[in-house]
Amino acid sequence: MFRNKSAYPVYMTIGNIPKEIRQKPSRRVWILLAYLPTSKLNHMTNKAARRRTATNLFHACLCHILEPLKVPGEDGVAMASGDGVVHRGHPIVACYSADYPEQLLTTGIKSGECPKCNVPHEELGSPDVPVKLQDLKAILAALSLVDEDFDLWRQACQECGIKPVFKPFWQDLPHANIFQSITPDVLHQLYQGIIKHLIKWIKEACSKAEIDARCRRLPPNHNIRLFLKGISNLSRVSGTEHNQICRFLLGIVIGIQLPGNLSNARLTCAVRAILDFLYLAQYPCHTDQTLALLDDALTPFHNNKDIFLDLGIRSNFNLPKLHCFRHYVHMIKMYGTTINYNTKYTKPLHIDLTKDTYRATNHKDEYSQMMLWLERWEKILWHDNFVQWCLIGDLVPQKKIPPDMDYRQAIKMTKHPTVKQVQLDHIVQEYGATFFTAALARFVVGINQPGLSAAQLEREAAHIIIPFDTVATFHRIKFNAINAHGIQDSSITVDSVHCQPSQKDKRGHMIPACFDTVLVNEGDGGITGMHGACIEHTGC
Ligand SMILES: [Zn+2]
């Protein structure tokens, strides 16, 4: 939707493209295949007839668009790969990435059911009821009855558990199984699905005032957005905002009081399990071990979800989006990590390929103008790429660094201090570093005369006279990631430490002081964990 207009773009990409390239809209890996009709068919007065016609129209359009895939999908077509070698390829529809209503529209499955398997609606919340992929053969047999006997066709479709759809687009596609092709979707199923529900349940379970107060109390931290007005009154929360809320959601729930003096241990366990699943599902690469973790991640949720029943927030968990979690491991094994089919990466295409395109028209009979504009725009881009290739030649293939969990960090200080001169007594009063002068004296002695005993050091330090009365202060320490080659990557800040006294902003409002607690590795600590780390409070 944009400017009271609506468009229904369909995008396509091919499977054998590295995901690092696929997730960058600027690399033009996705192409616009078509704009589907957005007509609401308001001239039809019968609601059911209108819905049926809209579904049939959708399938007729996609059938037309995908027609060119039928023969090459069956017989193969000669295609040159990047190295110039010609192979016989069979282009087939492998994945279909869409939100839940579109998944239903595509598969013909009834609302409230799983678009992939035969799980009954009342078992959607079950973690272990056996399920089977929809029986494509039986469904195709039922659909083929449409030309023979109308009543028989409707009855056969109903028996197979699908709506009677007139010739769905996948019916004649070679080697296609639409139920297999429906992919999980991190944006709509997790962030805008279960996470959205979870936040709503937490809001109902705990007092909104307490949740918002806890949001305000969160210390500022790198990678965490502070919701200083709280999260209970947000409206139209985007996927990005849900992502930001997830980063501190567990912290808010721990120890929160529940009505009726119910223990909140079960709530914490359930929330943690969903967050574990959320992050495991987004791993950039998987091993058998991480997939086993993903498979097990929801077990604590199912063991503790009764807390929401006891609180009277839910009466069941028959949510299709919750059930979909059961398909994740299989789908990752089939089609790669979830990054490959997350609709988050196709959303930005709407701007380039629809909104900007519409703006270039005179807004009358816009589609033909949009098509022409896009055709020219793509030609210019291709030509520009060609010119670049002529000038620079082939790009040297970069050695691929597999993604890993590297916790190493390198400190990065700014060239100039935040405040050039701070009086030593201000260091005590404003920064709370009460023993700064004494510590500085001990440090000077320690550097000049290493090897002194603690008592000797203390004695010597008492005689040190600090010959200045101001020091420079840095209010921020940043940490950069270290890449797989062991080189500091200054473009990625992985953490930061704040150390700043209270101050006034431009409007004269007070900004409270912020002194982070840090863990200092005293030399014998590991890359992770608390062993060998000493807790320090910045400032004091
Ligand atoms: Zn299912």
Side-chain angles (χ1 to χ4, degrees):
M1 296 288 299
F2 59 103
R3 290 191 186 186
N4 296 332
K5 286 267 173 187
S6 55
Y8 195 167
V10 184
Y11 305 113
M12 184 184 76
T13 185
I14 53 174
N16 50 341
I17 291 177
K19 59 174 176 275
E20 291 81 8
I21 296 177
R22 197 197 308 280
Q23 70 197 65
K24 288 191 187 116
S26 61
R27 299 292 295 268
R28 317 257 158 245
V29 171
W30 295 86
I31 62 160
L32 176 74
L33 210 53
Y35 292 117
L36 297 182
T38 53
S39 167
K40 298 265 188 303
L41 303 174
N42 285 335
H43 61 285
M44 300 180 80
T45 44
N46 183 322
K47 261 189 184 172
R50 197 192 299 161
R51 223 173 16 237
R52 268 200 308 275
T53 311
T55 307
N56 291 339
L57 181 62
F58 167 84
H59 283 280
C61 291
L62 274 180
C63 219
H64 178 68
I65 297 163
L66 297 176
E67 179 70 32
L69 276 186
K70 284 181 188 168
V71 175
E74 198 68 71
D75 302 339
V77 61
M79 294 180 185
S81 57
D83 53 8
V85 180
V86 177
H87 303 264
R88 190 172 71 184
H90 291 256
I92 58 165
V93 172
C95 284
Y96 194 94
S97 178
D99 62 8
Y100 184 65
E102 276 176 333
Q103 288 177 350
L104 298 182
L105 176 68
T106 308
T107 52
I109 298 292
K110 288 173 196 140
S111 179
E113 292 186 2
C114 174
K116 292 184 71 68
C117 71
N118 65 347
V119 63
H121 175 77
E122 56 281 4
E123 293 290 354
L124 282 171
S126 158
D128 43 20
V129 67
V131 292
K132 246 183 26 229
L133 195 70
Q134 296 279 2
D135 187 352
L136 182 72
K137 239 181 180 174
I139 290 173
L140 286 180
L143 287 169
S144 65
L145 294 173
V146 68
D147 293 329
E148 292 169 26
D149 187 324
F150 188 75
D151 289 329
L152 212 61
W153 165 67
R154 287 188 66 159
Q155 199 189 339
C157 284
Q158 198 172 12
E159 279 165 15
C160 293
I162 66 163
K163 288 186 233 166
V165 181
F166 181 76
K167 298 202 171 160
F169 72 86
W170 37 267
Q171 192 178 356
D172 298 326
L173 286 178
H175 310 291
N177 182 346
I178 195 70
F179 306 106
Q180 182 81 270
S181 301
I182 295 287
T183 56
D185 179 9
V186 170
L187 178 67
H188 291 105
Q189 280 169 1
L190 287 163
Y191 285 115
Q192 297 294 69
I194 291 301
I195 293 294
K196 189 174 155 187
H197 289 312
L198 184 68
I199 293 173
K200 188 170 152 258
W201 299 341
I202 293 172
K203 276 194 248 174
E204 284 175 37
C206 318
S207 103
K208 283 184 182 175
E210 176 60 17
I211 291 174
D212 290 347
R214 285 177 171 229
C215 286
R216 279 192 289 274
R217 264 181 245 139
L218 284 169
N221 199 320
H222 189 70
N223 283 330
I224 287 191
R225 176 184 156 190
L226 294 183
F227 287 78
L228 291 173
K229 287 182 182 165
I231 55 168
S232 66
N233 287 320
L234 294 176
S235 61
R236 292 179 66 91
V237 186
S238 68
T240 314
E241 282 170 320
H242 275 137
N243 180 336
Q244 290 159 343
I245 293 171
C246 283
R247 296 173 188 212
F248 57 77
L249 192 61
L250 188 63
I252 284 189
V253 169
I254 289 175
I256 203 163
Q257 205 173 6
L258 295 181
N261 269 341
L262 282 170
S263 153
N264 89 356
R266 282 188 292 162
L267 178 71
T268 310
C269 259
V271 173
R272 192 187 154 169
I274 288 195
L275 292 173
D276 278 347
F277 185 91
L278 171 77
Y279 292 119
L280 282 163
Q282 294 179 79
Y283 269 19
C285 68
H286 276 285
T287 62
D288 287 346
Q289 208 184 348
T290 55
L291 285 177
L293 288 173
L294 182 62
D295 220 8
D296 278 347
L298 274 196
T299 311
F301 171 76
H302 288 295
N303 292 343
N304 294 285
K305 65 186 176 189
D306 286 358
I307 181 75
F308 297 110
L309 303 180
D310 294 351
L311 287 166
I313 293 166
R314 289 220 53 96
S315 57
N316 63 64
F317 290 91
N318 297 332
L319 303 162
K321 283 175 183 166
L322 184 63
H323 161 80
C324 273
F325 289 6
R326 290 188 61 189
H327 296 298
Y328 270 61
V329 172
H330 176 67
M331 297 312 285
I332 290 172
K333 284 181 181 169
M334 286 276 301
Y335 298 124
T337 50
T338 50
I339 299 167
N340 284 305
Y341 33 83
N342 188 349
T343 44
K344 176 183 159 187
Y345 298 108
T346 50
K347 286 232 159 176
L349 301 177
H350 297 342
I351 298 169
D352 270 2
L353 298 177
T354 304
K355 294 179 188 174
D356 284 357
T357 317
Y358 176 75
R359 240 168 255 143
T361 68
N362 65 359
H363 306 174
K364 286 186 191 105
D365 191 18
E366 60 273 9
Y367 280 108
S368 53
Q369 294 180 52
M370 286 162 79
M371 286 296 130
L372 192 64
W373 190 86
L374 271 174
E375 221 174 285
R376 288 174 179 166
W377 182 68
E378 278 178 357
K379 279 180 185 163
I380 292 170
L381 283 176
W382 285 119
H383 185 68
D384 185 45
N385 276 347
F386 176 71
V387 171
Q388 291 296 328
W389 177 73
C390 291
L391 292 174
I392 306 167
D394 284 329
L395 289 174
V396 184
Q398 285 183 340
K399 196 166 171 275
K400 217 175 133 198
I401 304 168
D404 59 359
M405 303 272 269
D406 201 334
Y407 296 106
R408 287 177 302 165
Q409 300 175 356
I411 197 162
K412 190 193 176 193
M413 300 296 293
T414 50
K415 203 167 166 189
H416 303 289
T418 319
V419 188
K420 274 187 188 154
Q421 293 184 323
V422 181
Q423 297 283 342
L424 284 179
D425 44 346
H426 284 192
I427 292 283
V428 177
Q429 291 153 14
E430 289 166 20
Y431 290 78
T434 318
F435 305 108
F436 178 76
T437 326
L440 184 61
R442 275 200 297 275
F443 177 76
V444 172
V445 175
I447 289 284
N448 290 333
Q449 307 173 51
L452 290 186
S453 71
Q456 284 168 324
L457 192 123
E458 209 56 51
R459 232 181 354 257
E460 288 292 320
H463 300 299
I464 290 279
I465 294 160
I466 306 277
F468 47 82
D469 54 6
T470 62
V471 285
T473 57
F474 291 81
H475 288 182
R476 187 77 67 92
I477 305 170
K478 286 189 177 177
F479 294 91
N480 287 150
I482 293 182
N483 66 25
H485 297 305
I487 301 164
Q488 182 171 350
D489 185 348
S490 57
S491 64
I492 305 173
T493 303
V494 283
D495 208 347
S496 68
V497 179
H498 301 75
C499 169
Q500 73 190 43
S502 60
Q503 55 187 344
K504 281 183 181 164
D505 67 6
K506 282 176 197 160
R507 290 182 198 154
H509 298 307
M510 228 25 202
I511 304 171
C514 173
F515 296 105
D516 289 345
T517 302
V518 296
L519 301 175
V520 179
N521 185 343
E522 292 189 311
D524 54 351
I527 295 173
T528 59
M530 292 286 285
H531 179 73
C534 152
I535 300 171
E536 301 277 350
H537 195 250
T538 58
C540 55

mmCIF file of all heavy atoms in Angstrom, residues 113-119 124 131-134 320 323-327, ligand 1:
data_model
loop_
_atom_site.group_PDB
_atom_site.id
_atom_site.type_symbol
_atom_site.label_atom_id
_atom_site.label_comp_id
_atom_site.label_asym_id
_atom_site.label_seq_id
_atom_site.Cartn_x
_atom_site.Cartn_y
_atom_site.Cartn_z
ATOM 1 N N GLU A 113 -5.388 -23.637 9.421
ATOM 2 C CA GLU A 113 -4.706 -24.924 9.291
ATOM 3 C C GLU A 113 -3.308 -24.726 8.757
ATOM 4 O O GLU A 113 -2.943 -23.644 8.300
ATOM 5 C CB GLU A 113 -5.524 -25.852 8.391
ATOM 6 C CG GLU A 113 -6.810 -26.245 9.072
ATOM 7 C CD GLU A 113 -7.598 -27.276 8.310
ATOM 8 O OE1 GLU A 113 -7.127 -27.724 7.248
ATOM 9 O OE2 GLU A 113 -8.689 -27.609 8.787
ATOM 10 N N CYS A 114 -2.500 -25.796 8.822
ATOM 11 C CA CYS A 114 -1.116 -25.696 8.372
ATOM 12 C C CYS A 114 -1.044 -25.845 6.850
ATOM 13 O O CYS A 114 -1.600 -26.802 6.308
ATOM 14 C CB CYS A 114 -0.275 -26.772 9.034
ATOM 15 S SG CYS A 114 1.403 -26.808 8.388
ATOM 16 N N PRO A 115 -0.383 -24.910 6.150
ATOM 17 C CA PRO A 115 -0.319 -25.009 4.698
ATOM 18 C C PRO A 115 0.655 -26.085 4.203
ATOM 19 O O PRO A 115 0.815 -26.250 3.004
ATOM 20 C CB PRO A 115 0.164 -23.611 4.272
ATOM 21 C CG PRO A 115 0.853 -23.061 5.454
ATOM 22 C CD PRO A 115 0.268 -23.695 6.669
ATOM 23 N N LYS A 116 1.290 -26.802 5.114
ATOM 24 C CA LYS A 116 2.270 -27.806 4.682
ATOM 25 C C LYS A 116 1.855 -29.246 4.998
ATOM 26 O O LYS A 116 2.102 -30.142 4.206
ATOM 27 C CB LYS A 116 3.628 -27.537 5.358
ATOM 28 C CG LYS A 116 4.289 -26.259 4.892
ATOM 29 C CD LYS A 116 5.645 -26.098 5.511
ATOM 30 C CE LYS A 116 6.655 -27.062 4.976
ATOM 31 N NZ LYS A 116 7.011 -26.836 3.579
ATOM 32 N N CYS A 117 1.263 -29.431 6.194
ATOM 33 C CA CYS A 117 1.027 -30.812 6.606
ATOM 34 C C CYS A 117 -0.424 -31.034 7.003
ATOM 35 O O CYS A 117 -1.237 -30.121 7.000
ATOM 36 C CB CYS A 117 1.977 -31.184 7.738
ATOM 37 S SG CYS A 117 1.574 -30.360 9.263
ATOM 38 N N ASN A 118 -0.714 -32.268 7.382
ATOM 39 C CA ASN A 118 -2.108 -32.655 7.623
ATOM 40 C C ASN A 118 -2.494 -32.577 9.096
ATOM 41 O O ASN A 118 -3.376 -33.280 9.536
ATOM 42 C CB ASN A 118 -2.330 -34.080 7.102
ATOM 43 C CG ASN A 118 -1.506 -35.081 7.894
ATOM 44 O OD1 ASN A 118 -0.614 -34.685 8.651
ATOM 45 N ND2 ASN A 118 -1.778 -36.361 7.725
ATOM 46 N N VAL A 119 -1.804 -31.747 9.882
ATOM 47 C CA VAL A 119 -2.116 -31.668 11.316
ATOM 48 C C VAL A 119 -3.534 -31.108 11.513
ATOM 49 O O VAL A 119 -3.918 -30.137 10.866
ATOM 50 C CB VAL A 119 -1.056 -30.797 12.039
ATOM 51 C CG1 VAL A 119 -1.073 -29.379 11.547
ATOM 52 C CG2 VAL A 119 -1.260 -30.811 13.548
ATOM 53 N N LEU A 124 -2.665 -28.149 16.627
ATOM 54 C CA LEU A 124 -1.616 -27.216 16.164
ATOM 55 C C LEU A 124 -0.626 -26.866 17.277
ATOM 56 O O LEU A 124 0.540 -26.616 17.030
ATOM 57 C CB LEU A 124 -2.260 -25.927 15.633
ATOM 58 C CG LEU A 124 -2.859 -26.000 14.232
ATOM 59 C CD1 LEU A 124 -3.639 -24.730 13.927
ATOM 60 C CD2 LEU A 124 -1.796 -26.199 13.182
ATOM 61 N N VAL A 131 2.927 -35.838 12.170
ATOM 62 C CA VAL A 131 2.333 -35.137 11.024
ATOM 63 C C VAL A 131 2.968 -35.635 9.730
ATOM 64 O O VAL A 131 4.086 -36.138 9.739
ATOM 65 C CB VAL A 131 2.523 -33.596 11.115
ATOM 66 C CG1 VAL A 131 1.719 -33.025 12.252
ATOM 67 C CG2 VAL A 131 3.979 -33.228 11.234
ATOM 68 N N LYS A 132 2.230 -35.487 8.648
ATOM 69 C CA LYS A 132 2.704 -35.899 7.322
ATOM 70 C C LYS A 132 2.505 -34.734 6.368
ATOM 71 O O LYS A 132 1.547 -33.978 6.505
ATOM 72 C CB LYS A 132 1.875 -37.097 6.848
ATOM 73 C CG LYS A 132 2.699 -38.348 6.729
ATOM 74 C CD LYS A 132 1.997 -39.582 6.192
ATOM 75 C CE LYS A 132 0.816 -39.438 5.297
ATOM 76 N NZ LYS A 132 -0.330 -40.242 5.654
ATOM 77 N N LEU A 133 3.403 -34.597 5.386
ATOM 78 C CA LEU A 133 3.231 -33.562 4.371
ATOM 79 C C LEU A 133 1.902 -33.821 3.645
ATOM 80 O O LEU A 133 1.490 -34.976 3.509
ATOM 81 C CB LEU A 133 4.404 -33.641 3.383
ATOM 82 C CG LEU A 133 4.613 -32.444 2.472
ATOM 83 C CD1 LEU A 133 5.114 -31.259 3.283
ATOM 84 C CD2 LEU A 133 5.630 -32.769 1.382
ATOM 85 N N GLN A 134 1.223 -32.756 3.221
ATOM 86 C CA GLN A 134 -0.036 -32.923 2.483
ATOM 87 C C GLN A 134 0.183 -33.901 1.322
ATOM 88 O O GLN A 134 1.221 -33.868 0.671
ATOM 89 C CB GLN A 134 -0.499 -31.576 1.922
ATOM 90 C CG GLN A 134 -0.843 -30.554 2.964
ATOM 91 C CD GLN A 134 -2.228 -30.732 3.551
ATOM 92 O OE1 GLN A 134 -2.949 -31.667 3.195
ATOM 93 N NE2 GLN A 134 -2.587 -29.863 4.464
ATOM 94 N N PRO A 320 -1.426 -21.559 14.031
ATOM 95 C CA PRO A 320 -0.660 -22.099 12.896
ATOM 96 C C PRO A 320 0.797 -21.648 12.917
ATOM 97 O O PRO A 320 1.689 -22.413 12.564
ATOM 98 C CB PRO A 320 -1.398 -21.541 11.681
ATOM 99 C CG PRO A 320 -2.764 -21.217 12.160
ATOM 100 C CD PRO A 320 -2.639 -20.857 13.602
ATOM 101 N N HIS A 323 2.738 -23.773 15.282
ATOM 102 C CA HIS A 323 2.923 -25.111 14.719
ATOM 103 C C HIS A 323 4.024 -25.115 13.662
ATOM 104 O O HIS A 323 4.803 -26.064 13.569
ATOM 105 C CB HIS A 323 1.610 -25.603 14.113
ATOM 106 C CG HIS A 323 1.791 -26.715 13.152
ATOM 107 N ND1 HIS A 323 1.962 -28.020 13.560
ATOM 108 C CD2 HIS A 323 1.918 -26.720 11.791
ATOM 109 C CE1 HIS A 323 2.154 -28.777 12.498
ATOM 110 N NE2 HIS A 323 2.136 -28.023 11.411
ATOM 111 N N CYS A 324 4.097 -24.023 12.876
ATOM 112 C CA CYS A 324 5.087 -23.942 11.784
ATOM 113 C C CYS A 324 6.508 -24.164 12.287
ATOM 114 O O CYS A 324 7.367 -24.607 11.524
ATOM 115 C CB CYS A 324 5.022 -22.569 11.123
ATOM 116 S SG CYS A 324 3.807 -22.523 9.849
ATOM 117 N N PHE A 325 6.775 -23.846 13.559
ATOM 118 C CA PHE A 325 8.124 -24.038 14.097
ATOM 119 C C PHE A 325 8.594 -25.478 13.912
ATOM 120 O O PHE A 325 9.773 -25.744 13.816
ATOM 121 C CB PHE A 325 8.157 -23.692 15.603
ATOM 122 C CG PHE A 325 8.021 -22.224 15.890
ATOM 123 C CD1 PHE A 325 7.759 -21.314 14.888
ATOM 124 C CD2 PHE A 325 8.158 -21.757 17.184
ATOM 125 C CE1 PHE A 325 7.621 -19.959 15.157
ATOM 126 C CE2 PHE A 325 8.029 -20.401 17.474
ATOM 127 C CZ PHE A 325 7.756 -19.511 16.452
ATOM 128 N N ARG A 326 7.633 -26.390 13.881
ATOM 129 C CA ARG A 326 8.010 -27.801 13.751
ATOM 130 C C ARG A 326 8.610 -28.111 12.386
ATOM 131 O O ARG A 326 9.243 -29.135 12.201
ATOM 132 C CB ARG A 326 6.777 -28.688 13.985
ATOM 133 C CG ARG A 326 6.322 -28.669 15.430
ATOM 134 C CD ARG A 326 5.243 -29.683 15.678
ATOM 135 N NE ARG A 326 5.687 -31.041 15.409
ATOM 136 C CZ ARG A 326 4.874 -32.085 15.390
ATOM 137 N NH1 ARG A 326 3.605 -31.930 15.644
ATOM 138 N NH2 ARG A 326 5.341 -33.287 15.117
ATOM 139 N N HIS A 327 8.361 -27.234 11.399
ATOM 140 C CA HIS A 327 8.867 -27.510 10.047
ATOM 141 C C HIS A 327 10.239 -26.887 9.795
ATOM 142 O O HIS A 327 10.829 -27.112 8.744
ATOM 143 C CB HIS A 327 7.881 -26.990 9.000
ATOM 144 C CG HIS A 327 6.551 -27.686 9.048
ATOM 145 N ND1 HIS A 327 6.428 -29.026 8.815
ATOM 146 C CD2 HIS A 327 5.300 -27.220 9.304
ATOM 147 C CE1 HIS A 327 5.146 -29.369 8.927
ATOM 148 N NE2 HIS A 327 4.447 -28.286 9.224
HETATM 149 ZN ZN ZN B 1 2.514 -28.391 9.522
#
